C-alpha cells in the first residue's frame, strides 16, 4: 500500500485568536489582581495612597532594606552583565567558529544550572564563598559569580540561536579570506549581526538577577528580593506595588527588544526583495 502523505494545515484564524486570548487572560489576570491590591486603601475603599508613598521610600527607615537591596541588585546586574558580554559571549562565539566539536559539550554544561536544584547549587557555592570571604570580603557584589552561573543557560541559547541564524562560520571565513583580522571580524561582522541575541541575553541576565531569591537568601546577602520579603512582613502593599513595577519594566524592555528584532528582519527582507527586483530587471 502506498503511503499517504498527510499535509499539516495551519490552525484557523479563529483558533489562533482564541489561543492568544486565553494566554493573554492567564498572563494579565495576576497583574490586574496585583494592581487592584495596591489600590486598596487602609481605611477602606480604593485610592492612590500607596502609589504616592513611593516617593518617601528613600527617606523612610522602614523601607531601608528594600532600597539597599535594590541598589545591591542593580550593581549585581551590571557586574553579571559584564561577565556575560565580556567573557561568556566571546567564548561562545569562539567555540562556534573555531571548535565546533565542543559545542555539544558546551550545550550540556550550560543546561546543568537548570537541571541542578538551586539548593544543591548553594551547597556547592558555600565553600567557594567561604574562601572568597577570606580573600575578597563578603560583600554582596561577590554574588555576581554565582549569578553568572545561573544565567548561562539563557544567555547561551540567545547568542547561539543568532549565531546559527546568521551563518557566522561562512561570514567569518569569507571575511578572513578577504584579509580581515579576527578583531575586524568580531567588531564589524559578528557583533552587529548578533545585536538582537546580545540584547536578549542582556535582558535575561538583568531579569534573572533582579528576580533571584534562593541563592542570595541562603548565602545571607541583601538583594532586591530579600528586601521585598522583609518589607512584605510589615507593608505588603508596597511590596506588591514594587514587584508590579519591576514586572512591567521587564515586559516593556522585552517588547522593545522584540520590536527591534522585528524591525531589523523586515528591513532585511525589504533589502533582499529590492536586490531580487534589480537582478530581474537587469
Amino acid at each position: 500500500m502506498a503511503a499517504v502523505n498527510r499535509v499539516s494545515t495551519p490552525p484557523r484564524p479563529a483558533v489562533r485568536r482564541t489561543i492568544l486570548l486565553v494566554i493573554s487572560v492567564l498572563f494579565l489576570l495576576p497583574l490586574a489582581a496585583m494592581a487592584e491590591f495596591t489600590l486598596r486603601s487602609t481605611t477602606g475603599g480604593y485610592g492612590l495612597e500607596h502609589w504616592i508613598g513611593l516617593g518617601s521610600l528613600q527617606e523612610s527607615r522602614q523601607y531601608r532594606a528594600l532600597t539597599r537591596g535594590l541598589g545591591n541588585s542593580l550593581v549585581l546586574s551590571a557586574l553579571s552583565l559584564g561577565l556575560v558580554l565580556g567573557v561568556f559571549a566571546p567564548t561562545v562565539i569562539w567555540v562556534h567558529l573555531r571548535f565546533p566539536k565542543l559545542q555539544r559539550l558546551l550545550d550540556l554544561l550550560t543546561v546543568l544550572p537548570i537541571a541542578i536544584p538551586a539548593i544543591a547549587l548553594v551547597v556547592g557555592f558555600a565553600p567557594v564563598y567561604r574562601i572568597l570571604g577570606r580573600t575578597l570580603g563578603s560583600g554582596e557584589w561577590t554574588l555576581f559569580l554565582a549569578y553568572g552561573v545561573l544565567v548561562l543557560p539563557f544567555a547561551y541559547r540567545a547568542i547561539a540561536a543568532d549565531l546559527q541564524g546568521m551563518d557566522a562560520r561562512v561570514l567569518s571565513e569569507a571575511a578572513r579570506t578577504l584579509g580581515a583580522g579576527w578583531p575586524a571580524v568580531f567588531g564589524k561582522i559578528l557583533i552587529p549581526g548578533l545585536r538582537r541575541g546580545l540584547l536578549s541575553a542582556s535582558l535575561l541576565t538583568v531579569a534573572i538577577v533582579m528576580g533571584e531569591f534562593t541563592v542570595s537568601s541562603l548565602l545571607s546577602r541583601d538583594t532586591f528580593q530579600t528586601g521585598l520579603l522583609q518589607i512584605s512582613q510589615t507593608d505588603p502593599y508596597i511590596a506588591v506595588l514594587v514587584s508590579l513595577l519591576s514586572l512591567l519594566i521587564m515586559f516593556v524592555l522585552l517588547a522593545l527588544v522584540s520590536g527591534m528584532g522585528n524591525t531589523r528582519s523586515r528591513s532585511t527582507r525589504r533589502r533582499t526583495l529590492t536586490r531580487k527586483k534589480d537582478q530581474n530587471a537587469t
Side-chain angles (χ1 to χ4, degrees), residues 25-227:
V25 170
L26 293 176
F27 179 75
L28 294 175
L29 192 59
L31 297 180
M34 292 174 70
E36 187 271 338
F37 181 77
T38 60
L39 293 174
R40 295 180 185 176
S41 177
T42 54
T43 58
Y46 292 93
L48 296 175
E49 59 179 281
H50 304 299
W51 290 83
I52 296 174
L54 279 178
S56 61
L57 287 184
Q58 187 69 26
E59 302 173 358
S60 176
R61 296 183 60 182
Q62 180 184 359
Y63 306 113
R64 189 166 296 174
L66 179 60
T67 55
R68 183 174 62 248
L70 178 59
N72 292 335
S73 291
L74 291 175
V75 172
L76 287 169
S77 298
L79 293 174
S80 302
L81 197 57
L83 187 65
V84 169
L85 298 180
V87 177
F88 189 59
T91 303
V92 174
I93 296 172
W94 191 249
V95 169
H96 182 83
L97 296 179
R98 304 292 293 173
F99 306 101
K101 292 183 179 179
L102 296 178
Q103 277 192 268
R104 290 187 177 180
L105 178 61
L106 193 59
D107 289 340
L108 176 62
L109 291 177
T110 54
V111 170
L112 291 180
I114 298 178
I116 300 175
I119 300 296
L121 286 175
V122 174
V123 172
F125 289 150
V128 177
Y129 274 91
R130 278 199 295 269
I131 298 174
L132 288 177
R134 291 194 295 266
T135 55
L136 300 177
S138 58
E140 279 76 7
W141 67 271
T142 56
L143 271 181
F144 85 96
L145 298 172
Y147 286 166
V149 175
L150 297 179
V151 303
L152 283 184
F154 310 97
Y156 171 74
R157 270 143 192 83
I159 299 171
D162 261 17
L163 279 172
Q164 295 173 359
M166 70 180 293
D167 206 353
R169 263 192 222 105
V170 174
L171 290 175
S172 61
E173 289 174 1
R176 293 283 292 168
T177 303
L178 295 174
W182 281 115
V185 172
F186 269 79
K188 295 182 179 180
I189 297 174
L190 297 180
I191 299 302
L194 293 173
R195 188 178 295 115
R196 185 182 181 186
L198 293 175
L199 283 173
S200 300
S202 302
L203 182 57
L204 288 170
T205 298
V206 174
I208 291 170
V209 172
M210 296 297 293
E212 199 284 322
F213 172 78
T214 305
V215 174
S216 58
S217 176
L218 294 178
L219 291 179
S220 301
R221 301 299 198 275
D222 294 328
T223 59
F224 180 53
Q225 294 299 322
T226 59

Side-chain angles (χ1 to χ4, degrees), residues 245-279:
L245 288 178
S246 63
L247 286 173
L248 292 177
I249 291 172
M250 288 302 168
F251 294 152
V252 170
L253 292 176
L254 277 170
L256 289 176
V257 171
S258 178
M260 291 174 61
N262 293 334
T263 302
R264 182 184 165 195
S265 62
R266 284 195 298 268
S267 61
T268 303
R269 287 196 298 267
R270 196 178 300 115
R271 287 196 299 267
T272 304
L273 290 174
T274 303
R275 291 196 193 109
K276 288 182 179 180
K277 290 179 180 178
D278 294 339
Q279 291 175 359

